[in-house]
Amino acid sequence: MSNSDQPFGAKRRASQNDTSRNTLDTKHARLEPEMRTPIARLGIHPLSKYRQACPQFKEPREIISFSYDETRQMRMDNHQLKYYYPPRIDPMPSLFAGFEQQICRDSTKNEHIDGLLNALAFVRTKNEAAEPNDTRADFVMYRGMLTRIFVTPFSLRDAWSMNIARVGATIYVEDNVTDEMIADRSGSSEQHRRLMYSGYKFETLCMVDEPPETLSREQLDEQLAKQAREVVNTHSEYCTVFRTQLGPHSIISGAEVDCIDRAKPHEFPNRSYRELKTSRCLDSEKARNSFERFKLLKFWAQSFIAGIPVVTVGFRDDEGRLKEVQDIRTQDMPRMVRGKPRMWEANVCMNFANQVLQFIKDNVTDGGLDAQYRIEYSPEEAQVQIYSLGKRPSFLTAEYIKSLSK
């Protein structure tokens, strides 16, 4: 359940980098009428034009990791890294247990891409980059934004909107958080909030504080009991910042990581990371088809982009009881849907994303720190459109801007 993958929270500015930029800017949430003419358009159809060999994709390589603690303070360490241990399902635990006691972060606060930028600034300031160009790329964005682009060809009804700034050779992308998005979250039904909570609760049941291989049976039992009692706190988060490349486009991204399988290795820790997801039990052909068509697509895109090899899915019934746990390898997901009617295709997602990134490069120019653009996908027009917003307060942090000279 990510900040870095969701609109708020790191799973989410600075010339005028004051406290007001951390609250929703309703004045800038929508385009003014005179800015509603796109400067460029990219049609989605026909999807057949993307059915070609996949563009090159480099395995993600971690640059740095960081944590948000229980009070949402950023720490440049692995404080919140948790370790996977299979949850006990006999007796079946309730994923709704503790719903009333949960501690939720403030959904009205827009964290922009602050965590990602400040992590990069830290690397530059401390000269901790493994290579000189580690902290520079064509694009800087959270994984959630890249995931939205990836899945668009098979999520044609899902509109999205992002803000863009180009400074030098680097293009920065953040979610365009609107007052409607805030209202939707604040006004969601209790049932919807319970379903959201169930994902966090599943995570707590699957994680311990130390590598399981270092614990005795008694210590492990003690930690599992502690996790079952633990109050869900959505302030806490562990994030990876990594570098990858899609086609000719170098990308620095950040993503929340749910847990790791063993003590964190120095090289390619992503190979040991694990995603944790929940879903309603697949008790009918219709339910299985929907799971494979929609949820599996997003599971694949999120995990593939970050180089995470395994997704563990907890299947619950309508009363929230955890009935089954299944591991699905990321590389197997495209094969699971191949040849089935109305299903997604990984090569189409990758080629489409490659073209969108090129589309952005071709149409977004360097206008300085306060020049911004917006890119939107419109289901009604089946187009990706870019608008010029003119001069706006920068969404880059002061710490990051200062580090650009290093």
Side-chain angles (χ1 to χ4, degrees), residues 56-257:
Q56 179 190 29
F57 185 80
K58 287 189 177 179
E59 180 178 8
R61 181 169 55 81
E62 185 170 281
I63 301 170
I64 194 171
S65 56
F66 65 91
S67 300
Y68 286 103
D69 68 15
E70 296 82 357
T71 63
R72 201 60 183 172
Q73 295 301 304
M74 185 176 178
R75 301 173 48 153
M76 299 309 307
D77 58 27
N78 297 332
H79 178 70
Q80 291 297 331
L81 178 60
K82 304 295 184 181
Y83 300 87
Y84 177 72
Y85 193 81
R88 295 171 173 172
I89 58 174
D90 185 17
M92 292 182 291
S94 170
L95 298 184
F96 295 160
F99 171 74
E100 293 79 8
Q101 288 76 44
Q102 68 177 308
I103 302 169
C104 300
R105 68 174 179 258
D106 184 359
S107 65
T108 66
K109 184 178 180 181
N110 185 357
E111 294 180 347
H112 299 269
I113 54 173
D114 293 8
L116 175 57
L117 295 179
N118 288 340
L120 292 175
F122 177 85
V123 174
R124 289 178 180 171
T125 302
K126 300 297 183 181
N127 295 315
E128 292 190 358
E131 299 177 11
N133 292 326
D134 261 1
T135 60
R136 287 173 169 79
D138 297 334
F139 290 89
V140 174
M141 69 179 86
Y142 272 126
R143 173 181 62 173
M145 302 301 99
L146 197 52
T147 298
R148 289 187 193 177
I149 296 171
F150 259 65
V151 305
T152 298
F154 301 99
S155 304
L156 294 173
R157 297 181 181 179
D158 297 339
W160 48 258
S161 178
M162 306 173 196
N163 298 321
I164 298 177
R166 185 169 195 158
V167 181
T170 300
I171 296 170
Y172 303 87
V173 183
E174 69 154 8
D175 193 18
N176 175 36
V177 178
T178 66
D179 51 351
E180 287 88 353
M181 294 166 65
I182 295 285
D184 285 346
R185 290 193 168 198
S186 301
S188 59
S189 68
E190 179 174 322
Q191 178 62 15
H192 180 261
R193 294 196 301 273
R194 283 183 178 274
L195 293 179
M196 293 293 292
Y197 170 83
S198 69
Y200 290 108
K201 182 63 177 179
F202 178 64
E203 291 173 6
T204 67
L205 296 177
C206 293
M207 302 185 300
V208 292
D209 295 332
E210 301 170 68
E213 64 270 19
T214 67
L215 300 174
S216 67
R217 182 72 252 179
E218 294 74 17
Q219 291 172 321
L220 187 57
D221 286 342
E222 182 179 333
Q223 287 219 14
L224 292 173
K226 171 178 170 287
Q227 290 298 93
R229 298 189 305 268
E230 188 161 314
V231 174
V232 168
N233 184 339
T234 63
H235 291 90
S236 304
E237 197 170 301
Y238 169 80
C239 298
T240 177
V241 177
F242 57 91
R243 183 183 180 89
T244 185
Q245 184 163 326
L246 177 63
H249 314 296
S250 56
I251 303 166
I252 290 176
S253 189
E256 179 185 4
V257 173

Side-chain angles (χ1 to χ4, degrees), residues 12 71 291:
R12 285 204 143 133
T71 63
F291 173 81

